[in-house]
Amino acid sequence: MENLLAIIIGAIFVNNFILSRFLGLCPFFGVSKKTKPAIGMGISVIFVMTLASIVTWLAYNLILVPLSLQYLHIIVFILIIATLVQFVEIFLKKVNPVLYKSLGIYLPLITTNCAILGLALLNVQESYSFIAALVFGISAGIGFTLALLLMSGVRERLELSKVPKAFEGLPIAFIVASLMSMAFIAFSGMIQ
Amino acid sequence: MTSFREFFNGILKQNPVFIQVLGLCPALAVSTSIDNAIGMGAATIFVLLMANLIVSLIRKQVPKKIRIPIFIVIIASFVTIASLVMQAFFPPIYKSLGIYVPLIVVNCVILGRAEAFASKNSPIKSIMDGLGMGIGFTLALLLISVIREFFGTGALKFFGTTILSTSIEPAMLFILAPGALLVMGLLLALFSQIRKKKYETTCCDVK
Protein backbone atom coordinates (compact mmCIF):
# COMPACT_ATOMS: atom_id res chain seq x y z
CA MET A 1 0.00 0.00 0.00
CA GLU A 2 2.73 2.42 1.03
CA ASN A 3 4.61 1.47 -2.08
CA LEU A 4 1.67 2.39 -4.32
CA LEU A 5 1.30 5.73 -2.53
CA ALA A 6 4.97 6.44 -3.21
CA ILE A 7 4.44 5.64 -6.90
CA ILE A 8 1.43 7.98 -7.09
CA ILE A 9 3.13 10.93 -5.39
CA GLY A 10 6.33 10.24 -7.32
CA ALA A 11 4.63 10.25 -10.72
CA ILE A 12 2.43 13.28 -10.08
CA PHE A 13 4.76 15.61 -8.16
CA VAL A 14 8.33 14.54 -7.51
CA ASN A 15 9.23 13.04 -10.87
CA ASN A 16 6.57 14.79 -12.90
CA PHE A 17 6.81 13.50 -16.46
CA ILE A 18 7.03 16.94 -18.04
CA LEU A 19 8.73 19.12 -15.46
CA SER A 20 11.37 16.75 -14.20
CA ARG A 21 11.75 13.98 -16.78
CA PHE A 22 11.16 16.17 -19.88
CA LEU A 23 8.87 13.57 -21.46
CA GLY A 24 6.20 15.01 -23.72
CA LEU A 25 7.60 18.54 -23.99
CA CYS A 26 6.35 19.13 -27.56
CA PRO A 27 2.63 18.70 -26.78
CA PHE A 28 3.26 20.53 -23.49
CA PHE A 29 4.28 23.68 -25.34
CA GLY A 30 2.04 23.07 -28.33
CA VAL A 31 -1.25 22.57 -26.51
CA SER A 32 -0.84 24.83 -23.49
CA LYS A 33 -1.81 28.12 -25.12
CA LYS A 34 -5.43 27.87 -23.93
CA THR A 35 -7.09 26.00 -21.06
CA LYS A 36 -9.77 24.21 -23.08
CA PRO A 37 -7.54 22.23 -25.43
CA ALA A 38 -5.26 21.53 -22.47
CA ILE A 39 -8.13 19.76 -20.70
CA GLY A 40 -8.96 17.73 -23.83
CA MET A 41 -5.35 16.73 -24.31
CA GLY A 42 -4.99 15.89 -20.61
CA ILE A 43 -7.99 13.55 -20.62
CA SER A 44 -6.76 11.82 -23.79
CA VAL A 45 -3.29 11.38 -22.31
CA ILE A 46 -4.59 9.90 -19.02
CA PHE A 47 -6.75 7.46 -20.99
CA VAL A 48 -4.05 6.37 -23.45
CA MET A 49 -1.33 6.22 -20.77
CA THR A 50 -3.41 3.89 -18.59
CA LEU A 51 -4.21 1.62 -21.54
CA ALA A 52 -0.64 1.68 -22.86
CA SER A 53 0.80 0.90 -19.45
CA ILE A 54 -1.44 -2.19 -19.13
CA VAL A 55 -0.93 -3.49 -22.66
CA THR A 56 2.84 -2.97 -22.83
CA TRP A 57 3.24 -4.56 -19.38
CA LEU A 58 1.28 -7.63 -20.52
CA ALA A 59 3.21 -7.85 -23.79
CA TYR A 60 6.57 -7.55 -22.06
CA ASN A 61 5.96 -9.92 -19.17
CA LEU A 62 3.76 -12.52 -20.88
CA ILE A 63 5.31 -12.62 -24.37
CA LEU A 64 8.80 -11.09 -24.51
CA VAL A 65 10.17 -12.40 -21.20
CA PRO A 66 9.08 -16.08 -21.61
CA LEU A 67 10.54 -16.10 -25.14
CA SER A 68 13.61 -14.17 -23.94
CA LEU A 69 13.11 -11.56 -26.65
CA GLN A 70 13.59 -8.55 -24.36
CA TYR A 71 15.94 -6.92 -26.84
CA LEU A 72 12.95 -6.39 -29.15
CA HIS A 73 11.09 -4.29 -26.61
CA ILE A 74 11.67 -0.94 -28.31
CA ILE A 75 10.10 -2.06 -31.61
CA VAL A 76 7.28 -3.94 -29.89
CA PHE A 77 6.40 -1.03 -27.60
CA ILE A 78 6.27 1.59 -30.33
CA LEU A 79 4.12 -0.65 -32.54
CA ILE A 80 1.74 -1.42 -29.67
CA ILE A 81 1.40 2.27 -28.84
CA ALA A 82 0.79 3.26 -32.47
CA THR A 83 -1.82 0.52 -32.91
CA LEU A 84 -3.45 1.30 -29.60
CA VAL A 85 -3.88 4.97 -30.43
CA GLN A 86 -5.31 4.08 -33.83
CA PHE A 87 -7.67 1.61 -32.18
CA VAL A 88 -8.86 4.13 -29.60
CA GLU A 89 -9.48 6.61 -32.41
CA ILE A 90 -11.62 4.17 -34.42
CA PHE A 91 -13.46 2.96 -31.31
CA LEU A 92 -14.24 6.48 -30.12
CA LYS A 93 -15.43 7.53 -33.58
CA LYS A 94 -17.90 4.66 -33.67
CA VAL A 95 -19.13 4.66 -30.07
CA ASN A 96 -19.11 8.30 -29.07
CA PRO A 97 -18.83 10.74 -32.01
CA VAL A 98 -19.32 13.77 -29.74
CA LEU A 99 -16.37 12.84 -27.56
CA TYR A 100 -14.40 11.96 -30.67
CA LYS A 101 -14.98 15.42 -32.06
CA SER A 102 -13.53 17.07 -28.98
CA LEU A 103 -10.66 14.65 -28.29
CA GLY A 104 -9.95 13.20 -31.74
CA ILE A 105 -7.46 15.88 -32.84
CA TYR A 106 -5.16 15.11 -29.90
CA LEU A 107 -4.90 11.38 -30.51
CA PRO A 108 -2.45 11.46 -33.48
CA LEU A 109 -0.18 13.70 -31.41
CA ILE A 110 -0.04 11.08 -28.69
CA THR A 111 1.54 8.38 -30.88
CA THR A 112 4.85 10.16 -31.12
CA ASN A 113 4.57 11.52 -27.62
CA CYS A 114 7.66 10.33 -25.78
CA ALA A 115 5.72 10.29 -22.50
CA ILE A 116 3.84 7.15 -23.52
CA LEU A 117 6.90 5.21 -24.67
CA GLY A 118 8.81 6.56 -21.69
CA LEU A 119 6.13 5.19 -19.39
CA ALA A 120 6.40 1.71 -20.93
CA LEU A 121 10.21 1.81 -20.65
CA LEU A 122 10.08 3.00 -17.04
CA ASN A 123 7.73 0.11 -16.17
CA VAL A 124 10.42 -2.25 -17.44
CA GLN A 125 13.30 -0.39 -15.80
CA GLU A 126 11.62 -0.33 -12.38
CA SER A 127 10.29 -3.90 -12.88
CA TYR A 128 6.87 -2.89 -11.59
CA SER A 129 4.16 -5.46 -10.84
CA PHE A 130 0.94 -5.32 -12.85
CA ILE A 131 -0.92 -3.27 -10.22
CA ALA A 132 2.04 -0.92 -9.82
CA ALA A 133 2.23 -0.42 -13.61
CA LEU A 134 -1.50 0.35 -13.73
CA VAL A 135 -1.24 2.87 -10.89
CA PHE A 136 1.92 4.38 -12.40
CA GLY A 137 0.14 4.80 -15.74
CA ILE A 138 -2.83 6.63 -14.25
CA SER A 139 -0.77 8.87 -11.99
CA ALA A 140 1.73 9.72 -14.73
CA GLY A 141 -1.25 10.83 -16.85
CA ILE A 142 -2.60 12.92 -13.98
CA GLY A 143 0.83 14.50 -13.45
CA PHE A 144 1.01 15.34 -17.16
CA THR A 145 -2.46 16.91 -17.08
CA LEU A 146 -1.67 18.89 -13.93
CA ALA A 147 1.44 20.45 -15.47
CA LEU A 148 -0.41 21.13 -18.74
CA LEU A 149 -3.33 22.81 -16.97
CA LEU A 150 -1.12 24.97 -14.74
CA MET A 151 0.90 26.03 -17.77
CA SER A 152 -2.14 26.88 -19.88
CA GLY A 153 -3.52 29.03 -17.06
CA VAL A 154 -0.29 31.02 -16.90
CA ARG A 155 0.00 31.33 -20.68
CA GLU A 156 -3.55 32.67 -21.06
CA ARG A 157 -2.54 35.54 -18.79
CA LEU A 158 0.82 35.96 -20.48
CA GLU A 159 -1.02 36.87 -23.68
CA LEU A 160 -2.24 40.04 -21.98
CA SER A 161 1.00 41.07 -20.32
CA LYS A 162 3.93 42.94 -21.76
CA VAL A 163 6.87 40.66 -22.45
CA PRO A 164 10.29 41.76 -23.82
CA LYS A 165 10.21 41.39 -27.58
CA ALA A 166 12.83 38.66 -27.82
CA PHE A 167 10.98 36.57 -25.22
CA GLU A 168 7.59 36.64 -26.93
CA GLY A 169 6.09 33.25 -27.72
CA LEU A 170 8.13 30.19 -26.85
CA PRO A 171 11.11 31.65 -24.90
CA ILE A 172 8.92 33.08 -22.13
CA ALA A 173 7.01 29.79 -22.01
CA PHE A 174 10.31 28.02 -21.30
CA ILE A 175 11.10 30.47 -18.51
CA VAL A 176 7.64 29.92 -16.98
CA ALA A 177 8.11 26.16 -17.23
CA SER A 178 11.47 26.55 -15.52
CA LEU A 179 9.86 28.40 -12.59
CA MET A 180 7.13 25.74 -12.35
CA SER A 181 9.76 23.04 -12.40
CA MET A 182 11.56 24.80 -9.53
CA ALA A 183 8.33 24.76 -7.54
CA PHE A 184 7.90 21.04 -8.21
CA ILE A 185 11.42 20.33 -6.91
CA ALA A 186 10.13 21.34 -3.51
CA PHE A 187 8.07 18.15 -3.47
CA SER A 188 11.17 15.99 -3.60
CA GLY A 189 11.31 15.63 0.18
CA MET A 190 7.95 13.85 0.18
CA ILE A 191 9.33 10.42 -0.73
CA GLN A 192 12.74 8.82 -0.35
CA MET B 1 28.78 18.95 -54.99
CA THR B 2 25.22 20.15 -54.55
CA SER B 3 24.68 17.78 -51.64
CA PHE B 4 26.93 19.99 -49.50
CA ARG B 5 24.02 22.40 -49.36
CA GLU B 6 21.91 19.73 -47.64
CA PHE B 7 24.76 19.12 -45.22
CA PHE B 8 25.16 22.71 -44.05
CA ASN B 9 21.43 23.32 -44.13
CA GLY B 10 20.95 21.10 -41.06
CA ILE B 11 23.77 22.65 -39.09
CA LEU B 12 22.81 26.32 -39.22
CA LYS B 13 19.90 27.43 -41.36
CA GLN B 14 17.54 24.60 -40.37
CA ASN B 15 19.09 23.63 -37.04
CA PRO B 16 16.65 21.09 -35.57
CA VAL B 17 16.79 22.37 -31.98
CA PHE B 18 17.21 26.14 -32.21
CA ILE B 19 15.41 26.90 -35.48
CA GLN B 20 12.80 24.19 -35.85
CA VAL B 21 12.42 23.60 -32.07
CA LEU B 22 12.26 19.80 -32.48
CA GLY B 23 13.64 16.98 -30.36
CA LEU B 24 13.21 18.92 -27.14
CA CYS B 25 12.95 15.93 -24.80
CA PRO B 26 16.46 14.56 -25.39
CA ALA B 27 17.94 18.04 -25.88
CA LEU B 28 16.91 19.09 -22.38
CA ALA B 29 16.97 15.78 -20.52
CA VAL B 30 20.50 14.61 -21.30
CA SER B 31 22.29 17.95 -21.62
CA THR B 32 23.63 17.81 -18.05
CA SER B 33 27.21 17.10 -19.14
CA ILE B 34 29.36 17.22 -22.27
CA ASP B 35 29.86 13.43 -22.19
CA ASN B 36 26.12 12.79 -22.20
CA ALA B 37 25.60 15.28 -25.02
CA ILE B 38 28.26 13.58 -27.15
CA GLY B 39 26.86 10.10 -26.44
CA MET B 40 23.32 11.13 -27.28
CA GLY B 41 24.52 13.10 -30.31
CA ALA B 42 26.49 10.15 -31.71
CA ALA B 43 23.56 7.75 -31.29
CA THR B 44 21.20 10.23 -32.93
CA ILE B 45 23.57 10.84 -35.87
CA PHE B 46 23.83 7.08 -36.45
CA VAL B 47 20.06 6.52 -36.36
CA LEU B 48 19.30 9.60 -38.45
CA LEU B 49 21.89 8.65 -41.08
CA MET B 50 20.85 5.00 -41.39
CA ALA B 51 17.11 5.70 -41.26
CA ASN B 52 17.46 8.39 -43.95
CA LEU B 53 19.51 6.04 -46.15
CA ILE B 54 17.10 3.09 -45.91
CA VAL B 55 13.98 5.23 -46.27
CA SER B 56 15.47 6.86 -49.35
CA LEU B 57 16.44 3.48 -50.87
CA ILE B 58 12.95 2.03 -50.49
CA ARG B 59 11.07 5.27 -51.16
CA LYS B 60 9.63 4.03 -54.48
CA GLN B 61 8.38 0.71 -53.08
CA VAL B 62 6.62 2.12 -49.99
CA PRO B 63 2.86 2.56 -50.38
CA LYS B 64 1.88 6.06 -49.33
CA LYS B 65 -0.82 5.03 -46.87
CA ILE B 66 1.35 2.90 -44.60
CA ARG B 67 4.59 4.86 -44.90
CA ILE B 68 4.62 6.19 -41.31
CA PRO B 69 4.44 2.73 -39.62
CA ILE B 70 7.17 1.51 -41.98
CA PHE B 71 9.39 4.48 -41.14
CA ILE B 72 8.80 3.94 -37.43
CA VAL B 73 9.82 0.27 -37.62
CA ILE B 74 12.99 1.18 -39.57
CA ILE B 75 13.87 3.84 -37.00
CA ALA B 76 13.10 1.52 -34.07
CA SER B 77 15.37 -1.17 -35.55
CA PHE B 78 18.32 1.20 -35.77
CA VAL B 79 17.63 2.55 -32.29
CA THR B 80 17.73 -1.04 -31.01
CA ILE B 81 21.10 -1.55 -32.73
CA ALA B 82 22.46 1.72 -31.32
CA SER B 83 21.21 0.87 -27.85
CA LEU B 84 22.74 -2.65 -27.89
CA VAL B 85 26.08 -1.32 -29.16
CA MET B 86 26.17 1.38 -26.47
CA GLN B 87 25.25 -1.14 -23.80
CA ALA B 88 28.11 -3.41 -24.89
CA PHE B 89 30.91 -0.93 -25.53
CA PHE B 90 30.07 2.25 -23.59
CA PRO B 91 28.23 1.03 -20.49
CA PRO B 92 28.83 4.17 -18.34
CA ILE B 93 27.30 6.49 -20.95
CA TYR B 94 24.49 4.04 -21.63
CA LYS B 95 23.72 3.99 -17.94
CA SER B 96 23.70 7.74 -17.49
CA LEU B 97 21.50 8.25 -20.58
CA GLY B 98 19.03 5.64 -19.27
CA ILE B 99 15.64 5.50 -20.97
CA TYR B 100 16.56 8.38 -23.26
CA VAL B 101 18.47 6.02 -25.58
CA PRO B 102 15.37 3.95 -26.51
CA LEU B 103 13.43 7.20 -26.61
CA ILE B 104 15.40 8.26 -29.72
CA VAL B 105 12.62 6.40 -31.57
CA VAL B 106 10.16 9.18 -30.82
CA ASN B 107 12.60 12.02 -31.48
CA CYS B 108 10.55 14.07 -33.97
CA VAL B 109 13.73 15.15 -35.80
CA ILE B 110 14.26 11.62 -37.13
CA LEU B 111 10.72 10.82 -38.26
CA GLY B 112 10.45 14.38 -39.54
CA ARG B 113 13.51 14.03 -41.80
CA ALA B 114 12.42 10.59 -43.04
CA GLU B 115 9.01 11.98 -43.95
CA ALA B 116 9.96 15.42 -45.22
CA PHE B 117 13.29 14.70 -46.91
CA ALA B 118 14.45 11.10 -47.32
CA SER B 119 11.15 9.84 -48.74
CA LYS B 120 11.47 12.35 -51.59
CA ASN B 121 15.21 12.53 -52.32
CA SER B 122 18.10 10.40 -53.58
CA PRO B 123 20.19 8.29 -51.14
CA ILE B 124 23.28 10.53 -51.43
CA LYS B 125 21.31 13.67 -50.67
CA SER B 126 19.50 11.90 -47.82
CA ILE B 127 22.78 10.80 -46.25
CA MET B 128 24.08 14.37 -46.39
CA ASP B 129 20.83 15.64 -44.92
CA GLY B 130 20.95 13.05 -42.13
CA LEU B 131 24.57 13.92 -41.32
CA GLY B 132 23.88 17.66 -41.35
CA MET B 133 20.77 17.42 -39.17
CA GLY B 134 22.52 14.98 -36.81
CA ILE B 135 25.56 17.23 -36.40
CA GLY B 136 23.31 20.27 -36.01
CA PHE B 137 21.40 18.46 -33.27
CA THR B 138 24.65 17.41 -31.56
CA LEU B 139 26.09 20.94 -31.67
CA ALA B 140 22.89 22.33 -30.15
CA LEU B 141 23.07 19.69 -27.40
CA LEU B 142 26.73 20.59 -26.79
CA LEU B 143 25.96 24.30 -26.50
CA ILE B 144 23.24 23.64 -23.89
CA SER B 145 25.36 21.14 -21.98
CA VAL B 146 28.47 23.36 -21.89
CA ILE B 147 26.42 26.16 -20.31
CA ARG B 148 24.70 23.80 -17.85
CA GLU B 149 27.84 21.92 -16.85
CA PHE B 150 29.91 25.08 -16.46
CA PHE B 151 27.46 26.93 -14.22
CA GLY B 152 26.16 23.82 -12.50
CA THR B 153 29.48 22.26 -11.48
CA GLY B 154 31.91 25.16 -11.94
CA ALA B 155 34.09 23.11 -14.29
CA LEU B 156 34.01 21.51 -17.72
CA LYS B 157 35.00 17.87 -18.04
CA PHE B 158 35.58 15.88 -21.20
CA PHE B 159 35.52 12.13 -20.51
CA GLY B 160 37.29 12.47 -17.19
CA THR B 161 39.80 15.20 -18.05
CA THR B 162 39.07 18.66 -16.76
CA ILE B 163 39.37 21.19 -19.57
CA LEU B 164 38.25 24.26 -17.68
CA SER B 165 37.76 25.00 -14.04
CA THR B 166 36.93 28.12 -12.10
CA SER B 167 36.55 29.08 -8.50
CA ILE B 168 33.01 30.34 -8.91
CA GLU B 169 30.41 28.85 -6.61
CA PRO B 170 28.49 26.31 -8.74
CA ALA B 171 24.71 26.79 -8.96
CA MET B 172 23.15 23.33 -8.61
CA LEU B 173 20.04 24.68 -10.32
CA PHE B 174 21.62 24.41 -13.76
CA ILE B 175 22.18 20.67 -13.46
CA LEU B 176 18.61 20.13 -12.23
CA ALA B 177 15.54 20.22 -14.45
CA PRO B 178 14.69 23.95 -14.09
CA GLY B 179 18.17 24.86 -15.33
CA ALA B 180 17.58 23.08 -18.65
CA LEU B 181 14.33 24.95 -19.26
CA LEU B 182 15.89 28.25 -18.17
CA VAL B 183 18.95 27.87 -20.44
CA MET B 184 16.76 26.81 -23.38
CA GLY B 185 14.42 29.80 -22.84
CA LEU B 186 17.33 32.24 -22.70
CA LEU B 187 19.02 30.74 -25.77
CA LEU B 188 15.78 30.87 -27.76
CA ALA B 189 15.33 34.51 -26.77
CA LEU B 190 18.91 35.21 -27.91
CA PHE B 191 18.35 33.51 -31.26
CA SER B 192 15.02 35.26 -31.64
CA GLN B 193 16.83 38.58 -31.15
CA ILE B 194 19.52 37.67 -33.69
CA ARG B 195 17.11 36.33 -36.30
CA LYS B 196 14.52 39.06 -35.69
CA LYS B 197 11.86 36.36 -35.74
CA LYS B 198 9.43 35.18 -33.10
CA TYR B 199 9.33 31.59 -31.91
CA GLU B 200 5.67 30.66 -31.80
CA THR B 201 5.16 26.98 -32.44
CA THR B 202 6.60 23.54 -31.85
CA CYS B 203 5.98 20.38 -33.83
CA CYS B 204 2.83 19.50 -31.91
CA ASP B 205 0.69 22.59 -32.22
CA VAL B 206 -3.07 22.41 -32.06
CA LYS B 207 -5.05 25.22 -33.58
Side-chain angles (χ1 to χ4, degrees), chain A residues 18-27 29-31 33 37 71-75 78-79 82 105-106 109 111-115 117-119 121-122 125 155 165-172 174-175 177-179 181-182 185, chain B residues 21-26 28-29 69 72-73 76-77 79-80 83-84 98-103 105-106 108 111 148 173 176-182 184-186 188-190 192-193 198-207:
Chain A
I18 298 175
L19 295 172
S20 112
R21 289 192 207 266
F22 301 115
L23 298 171
L25 274 183
C26 291
F29 286 114
V31 192
K33 278 180 204 144
Y71 65 90
L72 281 180
H73 71 285
I74 301 175
I75 301 176
I78 190 79
L79 284 178
I105 39 167
Y106 308 111
L109 285 184
T111 317
T112 50
N113 183 342
C114 32
L117 184 63
L119 175 78
L121 294 166
L122 284 170
Q125 191 187 302
R155 280 183 85 178
K165 206 156 187 295
F167 280 92
E168 273 174 23
L170 270 184
I172 192 73
F174 271 96
I175 307 287
S178 165
L179 293 173
S181 167
M182 255 182 247
I185 281 189
Chain B
V21 202
L22 297 175
L24 289 177
C25 311
L28 297 186
I72 289 182
V73 174
S77 313
V79 171
T80 305
S83 131
L84 289 175
I99 61 163
Y100 295 99
V101 177
L103 280 178
V105 181
V106 279
C108 7
L111 188 62
R148 286 183 71 190
L173 179 79
L176 297 173
L181 293 159
L182 185 68
M184 186 67 190
L186 293 175
L188 279 186
L190 176 69
S192 160
Q193 183 71 32
K198 271 210 291 188
Y199 285 97
E200 288 285 10
T201 53
T202 64
C203 49
C204 299
D205 260 48
V206 167
K207 268 123 227 145

Side-chain angles (χ1 to χ4, degrees), chain A residues 110-167:
Chain A
I110 294 177
T111 317
T112 50
N113 183 342
C114 32
I116 315 282
L117 184 63
L119 175 78
L121 294 166
L122 284 170
N123 276 336
V124 171
Q125 191 187 302
E126 307 284 332
S127 38
Y128 279 146
S129 70
F130 181 74
I131 300 291
L134 174 68
V135 170
F136 187 49
I138 299 173
S139 18
I142 294 173
F144 189 98
T145 311
L146 177 68
L148 197 63
L149 267 181
L150 289 174
M151 185 70 170
S152 64
V154 176
R155 280 183 85 178
E156 269 188 357
R157 301 210 162 193
L158 265 182
E159 294 268 294
L160 304 170
S161 44
K162 255 184 117 93
V163 173
K165 206 156 187 295
F167 280 92

Side-chain angles (χ1 to χ4, degrees), chain A residues 7-8 11-12 42 45-51 53-54 119 131-145:
Chain A
I7 291 178
I8 295 173
I12 299 180
V45 167
I46 295 179
F47 184 60
V48 175
M49 268 192 160
T50 312
L51 267 183
S53 191
I54 296 171
L119 175 78
I131 300 291
L134 174 68
V135 170
F136 187 49
I138 299 173
S139 18
I142 294 173
F144 189 98
T145 311

